[in-house]
């Protein structure tokens, strides 16, 4: 699993845009596939049912959002990342009917960006390297995750958004190094049978609590997905622990 949170901010935002474009295309196809006999609601009713998308609040963002061991998180970096995060949060808020707490969202993003800087700095301190083969493999995975068949298509899509191949490869190389750092910190994340079974039981309990009548697939059928889920959870926990350890020793200032 590629942790998009750790990808360079420009690339991370571009990936969000690619995903959004894919979703929009899918919606358009679904609309075109609707039967012609279906009654169309008047435009006024449609507008009433669809609340306006809120706008990200970018006022009062300082020129230097944070400093991490002397390295700055600039206003431009933060605003680019926040706009992408806000778009995701706004779509979720529309579906749930909840309002977005932009102050909380900004603080969470600032903390995430500090963690990102700390991990990248540590990977550099340990002189970790990323081979061309590892970068190519990661690019291929990213292309598939964004619904594209080849790396060339993926690079072309990012180029159209203003990201040159050299810049993309540089950020992906950084990602590979951070993944190495996390893997070393996490150690063996292979889930035991007991952990996978516990994950299955948790899903079963959640389904019962929700009153779902849908039959849960058999354990053996879900086992590969559950193994990946438990493995990812272990990696995420190791990442949080590592960031906390690095943060304790770091010189960090957040100016929000």
């Amino acid at each position: 699993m590629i942790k998009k949170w750790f990808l360079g901010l420009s690339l991370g935002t571009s990936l969000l845009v690619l995903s959004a474009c894919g979703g929009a295309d899918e919606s358009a196809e679904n609309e075109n596939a609707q039967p012609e006999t279906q009654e169309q609601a008047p435009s006024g009713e449609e507008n009433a049912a669809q609340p306006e998308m809120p706008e990200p609040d970018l006022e009062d963002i300082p020129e230097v959002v944070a400093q991490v061991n002397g390295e700055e998180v600039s206003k431009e970096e933060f605003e680019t990342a926040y706009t992408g995060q806000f778009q995701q949060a706004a779509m979720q808020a529309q579906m749930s009917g909840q309002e977005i707490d932009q102050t909380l969202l900004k603080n969470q993003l600032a903390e995430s960006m500090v963690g990102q800087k700390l991990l990248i700095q540590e990977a550099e301190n340990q002189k970790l390297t990323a081979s061309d083969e590892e970068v190519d493999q990661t690019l291929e995975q990213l292309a598939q995750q964004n619904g594209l068949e080849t790396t060339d298509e993926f690079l072309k899509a990012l180029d159209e958004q203003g990201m040159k191949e050299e810049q993309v490869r540089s950020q992906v190389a950084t990602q590979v190094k951070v993944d190495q750092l996390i893997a070393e910190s996490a150690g063996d994340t292979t889930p035991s049978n007991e952990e996978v079974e516990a994950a299955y039981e948790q899903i079963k309990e959640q389904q019962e609590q929700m009153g779902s009548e849908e039959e849960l697939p058999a354990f053996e059928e879900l086992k590969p997905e559950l193994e990946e889920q438990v493995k990812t959870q272990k990696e995420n926990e190791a990442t949080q622990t590592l960031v906390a350890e690095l943060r304790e020793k770091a010189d960090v200032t957040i100016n929000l």
Side-chain angles (χ1 to χ4, degrees):
M1 175 182 176
I2 303 301
K3 302 173 185 66
K4 293 182 183 177
W5 179 76
F6 294 114
L7 285 168
L9 295 175
S10 299
L11 180 55
T13 305
S14 295
L15 292 176
L16 289 175
V17 172
L18 283 177
S19 300
C21 290
D25 292 344
E26 226 173 86
S27 299
E29 287 177 13
N30 290 341
E31 284 180 12
N32 292 337
Q34 289 178 353
E36 291 181 11
T37 55
Q38 183 175 344
E39 285 188 23
Q40 298 295 324
S43 57
E45 291 180 21
E46 282 183 7
N47 293 336
Q50 291 292 333
E52 283 187 20
M53 287 285 281
E55 293 293 326
D57 177 13
L58 300 176
E59 291 185 15
D60 302 324
I61 304 294
E63 290 299 322
V64 177
V65 174
Q67 292 170 304
V68 185
N69 294 324
E71 187 177 349
E72 295 182 351
V73 175
S74 69
K75 176 180 180 177
E76 183 181 1
E77 274 182 281
F78 183 84
E79 288 183 347
T80 300
Y82 183 70
T83 300
Q85 292 276 346
F86 182 82
Q87 287 171 353
Q88 277 194 324
M91 286 189 285
Q92 292 171 355
Q94 267 199 327
M95 290 186 287
S96 65
Q98 296 178 336
E99 290 187 9
I100 302 172
D101 185 339
Q102 294 209 46
T103 300
L104 177 62
L105 191 62
K106 287 175 186 174
N107 287 328
Q108 288 176 337
L109 177 60
E111 288 290 343
S112 295
M113 294 177 76
V114 166
Q116 180 190 48
K117 293 282 187 190
L118 288 169
L119 289 166
I120 293 172
Q121 289 173 357
E122 182 63 17
E124 295 298 331
N125 290 339
Q126 293 192 20
K127 301 189 185 309
L128 299 177
T129 59
S131 67
D132 290 340
E133 184 180 357
E134 288 171 319
V135 171
D136 288 339
Q137 288 175 349
T138 304
L139 281 169
E140 189 176 336
Q141 291 171 0
L142 286 169
Q144 292 172 355
Q145 288 174 5
N146 284 275
L148 299 172
E149 293 184 2
T150 66
T151 298
D152 287 342
E153 288 181 13
F154 179 63
L155 292 171
K156 182 180 178 182
L158 290 175
D159 183 66
E160 289 172 356
Q161 295 175 38
M163 288 195 69
K164 300 302 179 186
E165 180 175 343
E166 184 180 353
Q167 182 184 1
V168 175
R169 286 188 173 276
S170 174
Q171 293 189 19
V172 170
T174 299
Q175 173 65 54
V176 170
K177 295 174 192 176
V178 169
D179 283 346
Q180 290 174 8
L181 179 69
I182 292 169
E184 289 176 10
S185 177
D188 185 8
T189 56
T190 305
S192 65
N193 286 331
E194 290 78 10
E195 289 171 324
V196 178
E197 288 171 0
Y200 182 78
E201 289 302 319
Q202 185 178 14
I203 292 175
K204 187 188 291 185
E205 287 176 16
Q206 289 174 345
Q207 198 173 37
E208 290 172 357
Q209 289 172 1
M210 292 170 62
S212 174
E213 297 180 2
E214 186 178 346
E215 186 176 350
L216 187 68
F219 172 73
E220 288 300 325
E221 188 178 339
L222 286 182
K223 189 175 180 181
E225 293 177 34
L226 292 169
E227 287 175 339
E228 186 62 31
Q229 176 184 313
V230 174
K231 185 174 184 293
T232 299
Q233 185 178 344
K234 287 185 174 185
E235 290 173 351
N236 290 341
E237 289 171 356
T239 302
Q240 291 170 4
T241 300
L242 178 58
V243 168
E245 291 171 356
L246 294 171
R247 179 75 185 261
E248 280 184 15
K249 299 179 287 185
D251 180 11
V252 176
T253 304
I254 296 178
N255 301 317
L256 287 179

